[in-house]
Amino acid sequence: MADRVSVWILADQLRTDHPALRTAIEQGGQGQVRVVLVESQAWERRLPFHRKRQVLHRSAGRHVAEGLKEQGVAVEVIAAKTSKDGLARHLKRHRSARLLTMAAADHGPRAWQLGTMAEDLGIEVEVLPNSMFLVGRYNPIPDPEPGRRYVMETFYRGMRKHFGLLIEPDGKPTSGRWNLDAENRKRLPKRMAIPPVPRFEPDAITRSVMKEVEDEGFGVGSVEGFALPVTHDEAQAAFDDFLRHRLESFGPYEDAMSRTEGVLFHSLLSPQMNLGLLDPLAMAQAVEAEYRAGRVPLNSAEGFIRQVIGWREFMLWQYHRQMPALRQANSWKAERPLPRFFWDGQTELACLHAVIGRLIDSGYTHHIERLMILCNFATLAGINPEAVADWFLTFYVDSHDWVVLPNVIGMGLNADDGLTATKPYIASASYINRMSDFCGDCSYRPDRRLGPEACPFNALYWNFLIAHEATLRANPRLGPAVLGLKRVDDAERDRIQAQASEFLGSLEPYASDHGEAAR
């Protein structure tokens, strides 16, 4: 008789073809396999995560467990203080001889899996490579030099070539261009119809989880209005809806921002991708098929594919390359605490008020709002990068360490000394005014640099350039912006710095105690 084997499926590894489960069944037969999912209180409560995120993760895991049971697989869902405690209880109960699992994406659990897990649990452990990402199947930069800067474009082209996405028979990119980002910067027209995002009404499992999360009273935001996809079928239905109704306009308006519309033409499927409910390569191939069939323009297809196989995979690559040092990276020496309005949205800056307000409500904003409103402000205001990253982890439904740390600390705040992004993504109010309708409803003027009506983004932007002039001048991508300082005399510099200092001094800090944040 074959030995009993347990398979640990992590909360963000909910793919249909889990390699550890498949391997265990192939080795010993389905009858000897026991699957365990651990709902670790320590992991779920390391930050006061948005309640909609909590519902999504817990409900998706329980739905996968029910699906496996329907396939005849023995499954146990255990709520425990820690993953170690839950696994120990499961292994003792079932007397398993071995434990199979897949390497975690996040640094902490992966380090335990590859370190002391077998010793801690007293069992033979096999950790299979992570198959959730394409970079696990092909790495365009297999042996990076320590400290060397690598650009995402090189990485992206390598992925495109290897997986044959938008590549012609002669090996060249479709249309002869790799990147059509220059065509994806249109402002949203005033009277453009925005397709609604599909809603998935909670079933009995999700309603039960919603009540649990609400009763536990921990986290930010509310469970009210939760309607995200929590199963593979729902996630696929949401993706199909995106292909039919929003992909066509995704490219041109990818960078647009709106006071009243939070999703616009984005897919809103990063939470499902990050949990394994959707496969990134299958999504990229489906988008390419839409272009080949003549249903969407090339800039929309290329823009989406670049986000999925370029940006997303490059962030994971950078994360594992830089961890654990990435979490404390702070090359701009930014130490200001988070302002209180990051937690309640109460600010006179219309852009921040709108973006943070809908984030508190929904747990989501699209990537340009994250980069050019939230991270832009945090960089210019000198807010501590680790505090900003923890805030992103707390509020976003698609947050995971592996994506937030490189995306926020590396790309958004440029705090890793340029290892992730070659320049800081900073902009004055003119950019925000050009790409959105926020400024028309704001008490501040985007066209003024100084004075009581001037938008604070302007003084902060020029103050940042002045404070870091020598460093920025050495960056070829920032040179033109810094050259503008030549037209700013010493008296004007003093006024800019004084106005920036006055605004920053008016910011009420927020004590980021987790218990207080949850109330």
Side-chain angles (χ1 to χ4, degrees), residues 235-314:
Q236 185 61 48
F239 180 55
D240 291 342
D241 182 88
F242 167 70
L243 294 178
R244 288 194 303 270
H245 301 299
R246 298 198 300 287
L247 175 59
E248 180 180 4
S249 296
F250 168 76
Y253 304 108
E254 184 179 352
D255 287 5
M257 297 177 283
S258 167
R259 185 175 68 254
T260 57
E261 297 287 345
V263 177
L264 297 177
F265 298 100
H266 294 262
S267 72
L268 187 50
L269 290 173
S270 51
Q272 287 68 37
M273 263 194 288
N274 293 349
L275 289 178
L277 299 180
L278 288 168
D279 178 74
L281 181 58
M283 295 174 75
Q285 290 169 335
V287 166
E288 179 183 23
E290 291 296 300
Y291 164 73
R292 299 289 185 192
R295 289 189 285 268
V296 302
L298 180 60
N299 62 316
S300 288
E302 188 277 324
F304 184 86
I305 289 171
R306 178 162 24 92
Q307 288 288 319
V308 173
I309 73 161
W311 169 81
R312 184 174 184 268
E313 299 288 335
F314 188 63

Side-chain angles (χ1 to χ4, degrees), residues 187 428-440 446:
R187 180 187 174 117
S428 65
S430 63
Y431 173 87
I432 298 170
N433 190 35
R434 183 171 69 252
M435 295 305 300
S436 76
D437 59 0
F438 292 134
C439 299

Side-chain angles (χ1 to χ4, degrees), residues 347-409:
T347 171
E348 292 184 5
L349 284 150
C351 56
L352 286 160
H353 176 77
V355 171
I356 294 173
R358 60 176 162 242
L359 176 60
I360 293 171
D361 179 61
S362 69
Y364 176 85
T365 70
H366 69 70
H367 74 278
I368 290 298
E369 293 178 338
R370 304 186 198 202
L371 182 64
M372 299 310 299
I373 301 295
L374 300 171
C375 284
N376 182 23
F377 180 86
T379 302
L380 298 179
I383 300 174
N384 178 269
E386 187 172 6
V388 179
D390 280 346
W391 179 83
F392 269 83
L393 282 164
T394 296
F395 274 91
Y396 279 89
V397 292
D398 58 1
S399 73
H400 300 261
D401 278 26
W402 69 264
V403 69
V404 167
L405 298 191
N407 191 40
V408 172
I409 295 178

Side-chain angles (χ1 to χ4, degrees), residues 216-229:
E216 288 165 5
F218 183 82
V220 299
S222 170
V223 303
E224 186 178 351
F226 181 89
L228 295 171

Side-chain angles (χ1 to χ4, degrees), residues 87-104:
L87 290 171
R89 280 164 47 192
H90 168 85
L91 295 171
K92 181 178 180 181
R93 182 178 301 144
H94 296 286
R95 300 180 181 178
S96 298
R98 291 188 304 127
L99 176 66
L100 272 68
T101 189
M102 179 167 69

